[in-house]
Amino acid sequence: MSKHTRLRIHIAPLGFESDRIVLPAIEMKADKIWILIHNNPKKTKAKSYLDNIKTRLRKERIEFDVKKIDRLDLFSVIKGVRNIVNEDENNMYYVNVSSGSKIQAVACTMACMMFNEENNLIPYYAQPEDYFDYKGKQMSTGLDKIIDIPQYDIKTPEEKFIRTLRIIKENKNKIDKTNLAIEAEKKEIIVVGSEENFEQARFTSLNKNIVQPLKNDWGFVKEEKIGRTRWVEITPEGENVLEILD
């Protein structure tokens, strides 16, 4: 496939069925499909479906690849989608939110909301013709129709905030403001223009441009004063966003 052509790339979590992955790819003329598979094969019974999908895609001459993720971890799935899209943002990506588990469906939908900056990340739902109770066989068959999912945006923090959270994380989730200011200035997260009262200017720049937005706008850090020292600590929300975006 040419790197200069805008390709139609599908992303689909692997579940206990194959039609829901293969048939939409054929109907929508996919150039390639990424299949999200569990990173621990011993804990899934989906291998036979993966083998069937590969065989059918080869027959249709649709290129495919696999991405290993933890299918039980929301953030792992979101990050998996993000990493695929980041490989070439010039392509069009169609994300199948119907082929895997509920966790994977939520994660794929969230990924489309978070990383659709180029308006090239489109979620869809493949509605099968028939449903069955899972008894070691495919849970559904056929393809009735493909339903476009309404798209909404989830705002993501600027890179400077992610880099700051990384510094805090590397210091066991908590660092005093003075040392955070020093590290932020070293890494050019903040720029201090004044040479007069340099340390105070650096501290003020960190507080105004980084810490206060992280605390008040995003809720990713919290502050605590112990004696004369001010500490900045990452919150669970901050850890979660760092897990996805770092």
Side-chain angles (χ1 to χ4, degrees):
M1 293 188 298
S2 172
K3 293 183 179 180
H4 303 289
T5 303
R6 195 173 213 200
L7 303 174
R8 298 178 295 268
I9 310 295
H10 283 229
I11 301 173
L14 177 66
F16 300 112
E17 46 198 333
S18 56
D19 282 2
R20 265 186 161 174
I21 292 179
V22 175
L23 296 182
I26 295 172
E27 182 165 321
M28 298 169 73
K29 302 184 186 303
D31 295 299
K32 179 177 179 177
I33 182 165
W34 278 93
I35 307 167
L36 305 181
I37 66 171
H38 193 42
N39 56 11
N40 189 342
K42 294 181 180 179
K43 291 188 176 182
T44 179
K45 299 179 180 179
K47 185 181 182 303
S48 61
Y49 299 100
L50 178 61
D51 292 340
N52 179 261
I53 290 166
K54 288 180 177 180
T55 299
R56 294 170 68 181
L57 291 176
R58 288 191 188 100
K59 184 177 180 181
E60 297 293 334
R61 296 184 178 179
I62 298 175
E63 186 177 332
F64 62 84
D65 207 337
V66 297
K67 171 73 72 175
K68 293 182 179 180
I69 48 91
D70 183 351
R71 67 187 299 271
L72 304 176
D73 187 320
L74 183 79
F75 302 123
S76 176
V77 180
I78 294 174
K79 196 167 186 176
V81 174
R82 172 179 173 252
N83 289 341
I84 291 171
V85 174
N86 283 350
E87 288 189 7
D88 191 341
E89 295 180 350
N90 293 320
N91 292 325
M92 289 297 298
Y93 293 90
Y94 299 89
V95 184
N96 190 331
V97 303
S98 58
S99 60
S101 66
K102 291 180 180 178
I103 290 176
Q104 290 170 313
V106 171
C108 286
T109 303
M110 288 181 65
C112 291
M113 294 178 180
M114 296 176 71
F115 309 124
N116 194 28
E117 295 177 1
E118 303 298 327
N119 200 31
N120 65 339
L121 195 53
I122 302 170
Y124 70 88
Y125 181 90
Q127 181 171 307
E129 290 180 337
D130 297 293
Y131 290 93
F132 304 97
D133 292 331
Y134 176 67
K135 295 180 180 178
K137 296 183 179 180
Q138 188 167 212
M139 295 177 68
S140 67
T141 59
L143 178 65
D144 181 29
K145 58 183 176 180
I146 296 170
I147 302 172
D148 292 333
I149 305 297
Q151 292 178 269
Y152 305 94
D153 291 335
I154 295 178
K155 186 180 178 183
T156 55
E158 296 175 53
E159 178 64 20
K160 64 181 181 180
F161 296 135
I162 298 301
R163 293 172 65 197
T164 303
L165 290 174
R166 190 183 304 133
I167 293 172
I168 302 171
K169 182 74 173 179
E170 290 170 352
N171 284 271
K172 299 181 180 179
N173 291 348
K174 189 174 183 179
I175 186 173
D176 67 89
K177 262 189 175 180
T178 299
N179 280 310
L180 180 57
I182 293 171
E183 288 299 313
E185 193 259 331
K186 281 182 181 178
K187 297 180 184 297
E188 299 183 346
I189 296 172
I190 58 173
V191 178
V192 185
S194 174
E195 293 186 5
E196 186 177 349
N197 298 321
F198 180 80
E199 290 185 2
Q200 182 59 43
R202 180 173 60 192
F203 189 91
T204 301
S205 178
L206 174 80
N207 191 58
K208 178 182 178 181
N209 298 309
I210 303 295
V211 174
Q212 291 307 309
L214 276 174
K215 182 177 73 171
N216 298 327
D217 298 342
W218 294 99
F220 292 159
V221 301
K222 61 182 180 180
E223 290 186 85
E224 182 181 15
K225 186 177 181 181
I226 302 177
R228 300 179 63 182
T229 304
R230 294 183 179 274
W231 295 85
V232 181
E233 183 176 356
I234 194 169
T235 63
E237 292 79 9
E239 289 190 75
N240 289 341
V241 78
L242 193 60
E243 175 71 21
I244 297 171
L245 298 178
D246 191 21

